[in-house]
Amino acid sequence: MLPVEEALERVLALVAPLPAETMPLREGAGRVMTAPATAGLTQPPFSGSAMDGYWLDTADHKPSAKLQVVGESAAGRSYQGEVTQGQAIRIFTGAPVPREGGVVVLQENTTRAGDWVTLADSLSGNDNIRPKGQDFAKGAPFHPDRPLNARDLGLLAAMNVAQLEVHRKPVVAIIATGDELVMPGETPGPDQIVSSNSFIVAAQVEAMGGIARMLPIARDDRESLRMVFDLAKGADLIVTSGGASVGDHDLVGEVAAELGLERSFWKIAMRPGKPLMAGRMGEAVLLGLPGNPVSATVCAELFLKPMLAKMQGRDPQITPRRAVLGCDLGPTGPRTHYMRACLSATDGLPVIMPFDNQDSAILSILAQADALLICERDSGPYKQGTEMCYLPLM
């Protein structure tokens, strides 16, 4: 069985960042740019006041000076006349100054009487002016190597950038397999259960910025599997759940091989989720998840999410966090165990407590968990208070 770390290397080697597409700035949150954007203007485009007050010539910036107010400048409505020594204009925050070589005196440091303003006995040395181009100059590049956030979009908007070149969203075809499955809302037969894996995977794909295509359930026969695989054409990534083990009815790997699958590996030294399959299938990559919902979820967290990250130009590396174990645990055995657990906040590291029942088919415990406690293979036992690694569940 393949170690988790090597399996992750192999699945990441199967995918590459997707080509660029052009999109409106409004839709850029969470996307990764493939080329720099350049500022279409200088910001600010003029030297402007940083405060409400009075603009005056630097030579008149003296304690107790008395100046004639000859006009005003407001944001979007600048003063167009001349201002000479001995004169001042009323100016508001964001308004252009009439010319270089002046200062803005805060209104609280002045006294106004009609058309005359008198400066205070004590004045600040600040000019309270934001110089032209203080933020950025026309032609300045912007190209972060991470997903764009709200602040990035604000900067790009200020740069007068309306369109972005970003990595295309990966299209993911999701296939649940098994005669025992029916869709939510249907009435299961006496030997059937309601399908849940596809809904978990689709939500994970969309949370990672991908486009989820949930396909019909494939039955446990070659004709049904071929039909559903045919519906998956055009996807960048095909994710199956179930049918990837070694039973007589586990046909996904066989049919996929008949359709051209070049399998990279099968079976991983982890629990839950040993029967994981991956490989290249035509122009797409196939990731075969286990059928048990917890196993499918854990494998998607460990392998599908990093694959989607890389395809969108993001950092695919998973960085575990640290917590203090809240109980004693026995030895792990030959497979790394990802245990569903809950976190409790403390003044220091959080305390992590695994659930007693780790059955890979129990969704109610998965829904309560907010972390996967990582117990490395061939390690332990662990004592309460031991620092451990975990992965957060969002």
Side-chain angles (χ1 to χ4, degrees):
M1 290 184 290
L2 206 63
V4 173
E5 297 77 14
E6 185 176 343
L8 180 58
E9 288 180 7
R10 291 199 191 184
V11 296
L12 290 177
L14 292 170
V15 296
L18 293 173
E21 65 179 358
T22 302
M23 62 178 306
L25 174 65
R26 175 67 180 84
E27 301 172 16
R31 308 295 289 274
V32 177
M33 297 171 63
T34 61
T38 55
L41 44 71
T42 294
Q43 177 71 10
F46 48 77
S47 295
S49 178
M51 300 288 181
D52 291 347
Y54 293 87
W55 182 94
L56 47 115
D57 191 280
T58 303
D60 291 325
H61 189 226
K62 300 174 182 177
S64 305
K66 187 175 182 179
L67 307 167
Q68 183 183 17
V69 180
V70 295
E72 74 172 33
S73 181
R77 192 177 68 253
S78 63
Y79 177 73
Q80 298 298 314
E82 295 288 330
V83 185
T84 62
Q85 287 189 27
Q87 297 178 332
I89 62 165
R90 180 77 166 106
I91 196 165
F92 298 93
T93 303
V97 300
R99 58 174 170 79
E100 301 300 321
V103 299
V104 173
V105 178
L106 276 61
Q107 62 186 19
E108 52 264 39
N109 293 332
T110 65
T111 303
R112 178 78 178 263
D115 290 337
W116 295 87
V117 62
T118 302
L119 308 188
D121 294 339
S122 178
L123 299 175
S124 167
N126 298 328
D127 65 8
N128 299 309
I129 293 173
R130 298 186 179 114
K132 177 180 178 180
Q134 173 181 265
D135 201 349
F136 52 80
K138 183 177 181 179
F142 181 65
H143 190 193
D145 58 351
R146 51 172 171 73
L148 296 172
N149 57 40
R151 300 180 301 280
D152 298 326
L153 298 187
L155 173 58
L156 287 161
M159 294 170 73
N160 204 24
V161 175
Q163 301 284 328
L164 300 175
E165 295 291 322
V166 298
H167 289 286
R168 179 172 61 78
K169 287 187 174 186
V171 177
V172 183
I174 302 167
I175 304 172
T177 68
D179 289 339
E180 75 278 13
L181 300 178
V182 298
M183 289 295 286
E186 298 178 2
T187 301
D191 302 318
Q192 292 183 307
I193 59 174
V194 177
S195 177
S196 59
N197 289 6
S198 292
F199 293 87
I200 295 170
V201 173
Q204 290 173 311
V205 168
E206 289 167 352
M208 284 296 296
I211 299 171
R213 286 172 46 196
M214 194 182 298
L215 301 183
I217 295 170
R219 300 304 166 189
D220 288 325
D221 64 73
R222 284 179 163 78
E223 182 179 349
S224 178
L225 280 166
R226 287 194 188 96
M227 180 194 72
V228 180
F229 273 128
D230 190 62
L231 294 176
K233 288 180 179 177
D236 302 297
L237 182 59
I238 301 170
V239 180
T240 64
S241 63
S245 192
V246 294
D248 292 339
H249 300 284
D250 295 324
L251 302 174
V252 172
E254 291 182 20
V255 173
E258 293 168 5
L259 296 174
L261 174 68
E262 299 173 11
R263 189 157 63 184
S264 174
F265 64 84
W266 176 69
K267 291 201 300 187
I268 299 180
M270 62 176 285
R271 52 187 287 233
K274 180 177 76 169
L276 184 80
M277 178 174 61
R280 184 164 296 283
M281 189 173 177
E283 296 183 359
V285 171
L286 183 138
L287 181 68
L289 302 177
N292 280 331
V294 175
S295 302
T297 302
V298 172
C299 287
E301 289 285 335
L302 291 176
F303 302 104
L304 175 59
K305 286 188 173 182
M307 294 171 77
L308 292 171
K310 183 176 179 181
M311 294 170 83
Q312 296 174 86
R314 303 183 188 181
D315 182 1
Q317 297 305 313
I318 298 174
T319 303
R321 302 180 185 179
R322 305 288 294 181
V324 175
L325 187 60
C327 64
D328 293 342
L329 285 178
T332 303
R335 292 186 286 159
T336 300
H337 195 181
Y338 295 85
M339 304 183 73
R340 284 157 286 166
C342 280
L343 296 165
S344 300
T346 67
D347 291 337
L349 292 175
V351 173
I352 190 163
M353 181 68 72
F355 288 91
D356 292 334
N357 192 335
Q358 293 290 324
D359 190 300
S360 62
I362 300 180
L363 277 169
S364 56
I365 290 178
L366 178 63
Q368 297 175 57
D370 54 16
L372 294 174
L373 172 64
I374 305 172
C375 297
E376 298 290 348
R377 61 180 181 152
D378 300 320
S379 63
Y382 303 97
K383 292 293 185 181
Q384 181 179 350
T386 302
E387 280 196 24
M388 305 285 287
C389 288
Y390 74 93
L391 299 176
L393 290 173
M394 304 301 182

